[in-house]
Amino acid sequence: MDTLTEDWDDVTFPDNRLLIELCGEFDKHLTQIESHLGVQIIRRGNVLSVHGYPDERAAAQGVLAESSERLNAGQSLGHSSRYKASTKATYL
């Protein structure tokens, strides 16, 4: 990858319980986002670092934000329209 255009953004999650749900068992949800959007997501405590090109990072951050909002509202991730559109997955 071209290191001049590749960068990262950190996303902080204040609720570790929701972050655990968001990541999924063995980080399977993060792995799905990574493989479908072409980014790398590194978890350190309650911070996710999204590495990749700007458009892909923005898409991944959108998926993470919507998924976090759904979990915070007590909803499951399986119905996240943005996640499904971004990853072409039916359910997490």
Side-chain angles (χ1 to χ4, degrees):
M1 288 189 168
D2 183 355
T3 58
L4 296 176
T5 57
E6 185 180 335
D7 206 352
W8 77 89
D9 293 308
D10 289 337
V11 182
T12 303
F13 294 86
D15 187 339
N16 283 333
R17 182 186 57 81
L18 293 180
L19 179 60
I20 290 168
E21 282 187 64
L22 178 68
C23 293
E25 185 177 22
F26 303 113
D27 291 341
K28 74 176 184 176
H29 299 158
L30 298 182
T31 300
Q32 289 174 338
I33 294 169
E34 288 175 325
S35 66
H36 285 70
L37 295 177
V39 296
Q40 180 183 21
I41 302 173
I42 299 171
R43 182 171 58 145
R44 290 185 195 104
N46 67 330
V47 176
L48 297 179
S49 294
V50 182
H51 296 255
Y53 292 103
D55 290 343
E56 288 82 2
R57 282 196 330 265
Q61 287 178 296
V63 170
L64 293 169
E66 181 178 316
S67 298
S68 178
E69 289 170 12
R70 294 185 69 82
L71 288 171
N72 202 30
Q75 300 172 341
S76 72
L77 291 181
H79 301 289
S80 173
S81 59
R82 188 168 192 162
Y83 180 85
K84 287 191 280 186
S86 296
T87 63
K88 299 177 184 151
T90 305
Y91 296 100
L92 279 176

